[in-house]
Amino acid sequence: MSSDELQIIETKKISNIKNCIIGMPDTGLTGMIGVTHLISSLSLDEIGYIDSNLLPPVIVVHKGIPKQPIRIFGNKDLAAITSETPLNMTSMYPLTKSIVNWVKSKGVELLISTSGIAVQNRMEIKNPLVYGVTTFDNNKKLLDKAEIKLLEEGFMVGPHALILKECIAKKVNNLTLLAQSHPQYPDPGAAAATVNSINKLLDLNVDVNKLLEQAEEIRLKTRELMQRTAKSLKGMEKVQEQELPVMYG
Amino acid sequence: MRKRRLIDIIQSSIENLEEEIDQAIEEVFEWRPMWDVQKGTLEPLANVSEENNKIIVSFDLPYVTKENIELNVSENSLEVEAELNRCIKYEGWGTVQRECDFKSFHKFVKLPEKIVPEKAKASFKDGLLTVELQKKEAKKRLKID
């Protein structure tokens, strides 16, 4: 799957994939932490990566092996896409378009985007709530089943908002999950809430205890990524998510 | 008409170039690592916000207990030193091809306004340190005639 600006390279070909989950660096790194935990808990193999000259000139090295920062993991039942570097504005539009096209080409039945929604009183919340927004009305029953609250009014800003936009245009079944998160700090607790919701949505049984046990380590080791992400979000008018919607009547 | 388009293209290219140069300058001059190998310290994530007559500074301090936090406050700065309850090692990390030990967090924050150090309050919950500082020049309530 490729365009002039961006290529999705499949290192392992899978013709059809049932479900797909995306978690990019965003508020509280919630989506990224949750998806990374799913990938490791389900031992999902790396099946591809995204390459583009619009992305920052970054390569990550793991155990001596150079890797692209945006990678795809999975099997025929579930694919998971995440990034180890924040997305910039230049790459975000072609990237989200290419991802949605790829998802469509794989016949994905449900694309779940995960992210955090900043709440100022996060410290007082023991169990973060997860809100959902969906492109199809009949998913609302699915939200009820998974005890996910429907986001009735508000703004969404960031990669998940563009994915949702693209899914509306391409008629792709998308469910965006937003967990109450720390606005400025990595939030493994919010990520765990998202994973619990995904468990209920997809009938998975991913244990979040390990994620919660590693919370301090995750917070410590994702400081730089959180700082870079916060900087990139500033340029996206992310604060709009905190604004009250314009309502009359 | 054709000339104008060419001018627009040149202008837009110059703008893009300027933006890239600004970003590069910012990267070079503003970026610094969030760790100091020599001192064995890590820089915590911190946030400064203002609320009426207060300045609120928060720090994310995982692996830290309340007893191991030292806070120093002056009229225009706040400094936090917090001992980690375990040593953080990064083996074979980056170009530092050896074990790298970090034992504490350290952060110096320059405050946006002068404050009254004696009125500073601090709380610590779930690894998050919040310091509430009273601004020196409090806002005066204005009566509308």
Side-chain angles (χ1 to χ4, degrees):
Chain A
M1 180 71 41
S2 70
S3 70
D4 288 345
E5 297 168 316
L6 196 140
Q7 298 85 41
I8 293 183
I9 316 285
E10 293 177 46
T11 49
K12 190 177 169 188
K13 291 270 177 204
I14 300 172
S15 51
N16 277 286
I17 296 170
K18 196 175 179 206
N19 296 305
C20 181
I21 303 170
I22 301 177
M24 296 293 182
D26 199 339
T27 306
L29 301 179
T30 302
M32 192 217 82
I33 296 170
V35 169
T36 305
H37 181 70
L38 277 162
I39 292 165
S40 110
S41 302
L42 299 170
S43 305
L44 298 179
D45 290 334
E46 197 177 315
I47 59 168
Y49 61 86
I50 292 167
D51 192 18
S52 169
N53 51 13
L54 299 173
L55 293 169
V58 176
I59 200 100
V60 288
V61 182
H62 290 305
K63 294 177 182 166
I65 303 166
K67 306 238 176 213
Q68 298 283 343
I70 308 175
R71 302 198 294 283
I72 310 170
F73 299 80
N75 52 42
K76 63 177 178 48
D77 296 317
L78 181 68
I81 307 173
T82 191
S83 171
E84 291 187 62
T85 189
L87 305 178
N88 54 25
M89 280 297 286
T90 329
S91 63
M92 208 175 282
Y93 282 88
L95 178 72
T96 49
K97 270 179 198 280
S98 294
I99 288 175
V100 174
N101 283 341
W102 181 81
V103 160
K104 204 167 179 180
S105 75
K106 297 291 168 193
V108 167
E109 290 171 20
L110 180 62
L111 170 63
I112 302 174
S113 319
T114 60
S115 187
I117 188 154
V119 281
Q120 296 303 327
N121 64 337
R122 173 67 182 90
M123 289 291 298
E124 294 147 33
I125 300 168
K126 200 179 169 199
N127 299 310
L129 291 175
V130 178
Y131 291 89
V133 183
T134 178
T135 48
F136 287 103
D137 251 16
N138 48 5
N139 278 339
K140 285 176 184 161
K141 280 181 196 158
L142 204 59
L143 290 179
D144 287 341
K145 179 194 146 196
E147 295 163 52
I148 297 164
K149 287 174 102 62
L150 182 73
L151 183 76
E152 301 264 3
E153 299 283 340
F155 293 105
M156 285 163 63
V157 180
H160 57 287
L162 280 184
I163 286 170
L164 183 60
K165 244 170 111 170
E166 202 54 29
C167 286
I168 296 167
K170 304 252 164 67
K171 296 188 169 53
V172 171
N173 192 10
N174 174 238
L175 190 52
T176 303
L177 301 181
L178 303 161
Q180 292 179 314
S181 302
H182 274 301
Q184 300 95 6
Y185 304 130
D187 196 334
T194 312
V195 174
N196 277 331
S197 295
I198 294 170
N199 274 339
K200 289 174 193 161
L201 283 168
L202 303 181
D203 290 322
L204 297 174
N205 194 20
V206 173
D207 186 8
V208 294
N209 287 327
K210 200 177 166 197
L211 174 60
L212 295 170
E213 279 162 20
Q214 287 179 319
E216 288 192 292
E217 188 182 347
I218 294 168
R219 279 161 60 191
L220 190 126
K221 291 191 171 167
T222 53
R223 289 169 307 124
E224 278 101 340
L225 177 61
M226 184 73 248
Q227 198 172 58
R228 271 194 182 276
T229 303
K231 209 171 158 189
S232 79
L233 292 175
K234 263 188 195 169
M236 283 178 219
E237 301 291 326
K238 187 75 178 170
V239 284
Q240 197 175 354
E241 278 188 347
Q242 302 298 303
E243 288 174 13
L244 295 170
V246 182
M247 288 168 74
Y248 294 100
Chain B
M1 188 70 184
R2 201 172 164 184
K3 230 180 187 178
R4 203 173 164 190
R5 270 192 211 137
L6 188 65
I7 288 167
D8 286 345
I9 293 166
I10 294 169
Q11 199 171 345
S12 149
S13 304
I14 291 171
E15 280 170 13
N16 287 342
L17 191 65
E18 279 176 350
E19 207 173 296
E20 279 179 29
I21 291 169
D22 286 347
Q23 272 178 10
I25 290 171
E26 203 181 305
E27 286 273 313
V28 171
F29 292 101
E30 288 188 10
W31 184 86
R32 59 196 161 74
M34 292 179 81
W35 40 267
D36 186 328
V37 179
Q38 304 302 323
K39 291 180 184 164
T41 58
L42 293 170
E43 186 183 320
L45 286 169
N47 184 59
V48 181
S49 61
E50 292 186 58
E51 218 175 78
N52 296 322
N53 295 325
K54 288 174 194 164
I55 296 173
I56 316 282
V57 188
S58 68
F59 301 89
D60 192 29
L61 301 173
Y63 289 126
V64 166
T65 49
K66 194 170 101 177
E67 295 70 32
N68 293 330
I69 304 172
E70 198 184 304
L71 265 174
N72 288 301
V73 60
S74 77
E75 270 194 344
N76 46 24
S77 72
L78 179 65
E79 192 173 13
V80 63
E81 183 91 46
E83 197 185 315
L84 293 155
N85 58 24
R86 52 168 283 190
C87 184
I88 306 297
K89 288 177 191 285
Y90 289 85
E91 287 170 47
W93 163 63
T95 52
V96 187
Q97 290 297 325
R98 61 180 173 84
E99 266 192 18
C100 198
D101 285 357
F102 294 101
K103 296 180 179 75
S104 61
F105 277 121
H106 177 258
K107 176 94 179 167
F108 179 86
V109 178
K110 198 171 180 303
L111 301 171
E113 267 187 61
K114 282 192 176 177
I115 56 104
V116 186
E118 296 74 28
K119 289 191 177 171
K121 284 182 202 165
S123 62
F124 187 70
K125 193 185 169 195
D126 299 332
L128 203 75
L129 173 68
T130 309
V131 187
E132 209 179 283
L133 305 156
Q134 188 83 48
K135 287 182 186 173
K136 197 167 186 181
E137 284 189 25
K139 283 178 193 162
K140 290 184 182 85
R141 183 167 285 186
L142 186 68
K143 198 180 165 193
I144 302 166
D145 294 327

